[in-house]
Amino acid sequence: MISTYNMVDRILHGDVRAVAQAISIVENDAKESTDILRALFPRTGNAYRIGITGPPGVGKSTLTNLLAKIYRTQKCKVGIIAVDPTSPFTGGALLGDRVRMSDVEADEGVFIRSMASRGSHGGLCRSAKEAADILDAAGYSIILMETVGVGQSEIDIIRAVDTTVVVLVPESGDGIQAMKAGLMEIADLFVMNKADRPGADQAMASIEFILGLRLNSGKDWQVRVTKTQAFESIGIAEVAAMIEQHRRYLQTSNAFVERRKIQLKQRIHEIINEQLQTDFWTSERTAWLKEQIEKVLSRSITPYDVVQELIGSSKQP
């Protein structure tokens, strides 16, 4: 095993193999992961992070692939993190990056990593955010983060990216009203993919109607809506242009700094919560809880009694 210092140095020099190894260490939550992330953090914050999210089957992977090709024509190094459902057998991602991103896989300026959702209900696992930091430190100027197919309440992506692209299809039209409290609230840009299908115009109109209700919400950025036929590579340049418009808006206002402040605060909360969980569940407490379950089942004690006892024991010196 190479030293952490050696690995960090190689990552900072753009060594692809070191980047891949570091992401594996982070994904497996190995003991070296915190040291690596701590050493890399001062060199992060330069990459622009774009989230691609939406329900399953709307063409997120195709859109991600085509956007990567556009950014490569602009001489950007592109990192792609594609979060897939977790295999119930191996715990890994069910889909492989070579299947998803065949157009750009051979490009040395593109790094692709499929990651398992690891049970995350928010469309984006914690290690995906840390993998983005590794790519950032390695000099990738654009990071595309594609979530596992999500529903209206699964909106973790906004905590990890600068621009959020929500991809829908015409068949989403009937559910758009129900999505107002979730995906509809996080989008900086809507993409109506497969726009050659019937119902595309009606679905677009529904989105624009809902957005019209939000015009007085105090937000300066007016959310964009555009059509694509990603399978035919139609409309992708327009998507890239709208992402750039949003980027310019963020960088010429205070919104960019404020958004990243909020993300860092949320990230610290996540780390604290995870550390508290790890520190709290000692082998002794785990064994004690196992002993109490029969009593709870028989109703001789309540779950609240168990919690009070556990919390009380955590305050003992």
Side-chain angles (χ1 to χ4, degrees):
M1 181 70 182
I2 63 174
S3 71
T4 297
Y5 176 82
N6 190 353
M7 177 174 285
V8 167
D9 184 64
R10 288 169 57 199
I11 291 169
L12 295 177
H13 285 87
D15 186 314
V16 174
R17 186 175 179 184
V19 168
Q21 289 175 329
I23 292 176
S24 294
I25 288 170
V26 164
E27 192 171 17
N28 294 324
D29 202 22
K31 61 181 181 180
E32 305 96 334
S33 61
T34 300
D35 290 338
I36 292 170
L37 293 168
R38 182 182 285 119
L40 292 176
F41 186 80
R43 302 289 289 274
T44 64
N46 299 309
Y48 196 77
R49 307 183 186 199
I50 301 163
I52 312 293
T53 190
V58 296
K60 297 187 296 294
S61 295
T62 305
L63 180 63
T64 300
N65 180 50
L66 293 172
L67 283 172
K69 291 176 70 175
I70 287 178
Y71 287 120
R72 286 299 293 142
T73 66
Q74 300 170 5
K75 307 302 181 184
C76 298
K77 285 184 67 178
V78 180
I80 299 174
I81 299 171
V83 180
D84 291 313
T86 301
S87 166
F89 302 106
T90 67
L94 283 174
L95 299 178
D97 50 35
R98 296 298 181 263
V99 174
R100 305 167 67 103
M101 307 290 175
S102 57
D103 284 355
V104 292
E105 65 171 333
D107 190 328
E108 293 182 354
V110 178
F111 180 95
I112 308 169
R113 183 63 173 251
S114 290
M115 304 185 74
S117 58
R118 301 292 174 112
S120 169
H121 299 294
L124 199 71
C125 54
R126 172 185 59 82
S127 53
K129 303 171 191 177
E130 295 170 342
D133 281 349
I134 294 169
L135 290 170
D136 191 343
Y140 290 85
S141 56
I142 296 290
I143 299 175
L144 297 166
M145 303 181 73
E146 179 199 336
T147 74
V148 65
V150 297
Q152 68 181 59
S153 63
E154 298 163 326
I155 54 176
D156 275 358
I157 191 68
I158 197 173
R159 301 175 182 173
V161 301
D162 303 306
T163 296
T164 302
V165 179
V166 173
V167 187
L168 302 171
V169 290
E171 292 80 4
S172 306
D174 293 339
I176 286 173
Q177 288 290 336
M179 294 165 64
K180 285 191 294 186
L183 289 180
M184 296 297 294
E185 294 297 321
I186 68 167
D188 299 306
L189 167 63
F190 282 102
V191 172
M192 181 60 62
N193 193 30
K194 306 180 184 180
D196 54 326
R197 292 184 178 179
D201 290 337
Q202 295 91 322
M204 291 274 288
S206 295
I207 295 172
E208 289 167 348
F209 174 75
I210 294 170
L211 294 177
L213 299 177
R214 294 169 51 193
L215 286 178
N216 297 320
S217 65
K219 295 182 178 179
D220 295 328
W221 171 254
Q222 184 174 347
V223 178
R224 308 295 198 263
V225 187
T226 191
K227 294 180 182 179
T228 60
Q229 295 175 48
F231 190 73
E232 303 293 335
S233 300
I234 296 173
I236 310 304
E238 288 77 8
V239 174
M242 289 180 180
I243 292 171
E244 183 58 27
Q245 289 174 13
H246 185 245
R247 180 176 186 169
R248 287 199 300 268
Y249 158 74
L250 290 176
Q251 294 177 338
T252 56
S253 69
N254 199 39
F256 185 77
V257 173
E258 288 304 313
R259 180 171 291 203
R260 290 206 167 179
K261 281 182 182 178
I262 291 170
Q263 291 173 349
L264 287 172
K265 182 177 179 181
Q266 291 169 334
R267 183 83 167 272
I268 290 168
H269 278 233
E270 290 175 6
I271 295 170
I272 288 173
N273 288 339
E274 290 166 6
Q275 191 62 54
L276 288 175
Q277 286 264 14
T278 300
D279 293 344
F280 183 85
W281 286 111
T282 62
S283 58
E284 291 82 5
R285 289 197 184 100
T286 301
W288 184 84
L289 176 60
K290 186 176 180 180
E291 294 172 0
Q292 304 305 307
I293 292 300
E294 288 295 331
K295 297 179 183 178
V296 177
L297 184 64
S298 67
R299 280 11 184 215
S300 60
I301 61 174
T302 73
Y304 311 101
D305 298 325
V306 173
V307 170
Q308 187 172 9
E309 181 67 26
L310 285 169
I311 296 296
S313 70
S314 72
K315 296 177 181 178
Q316 299 298 321

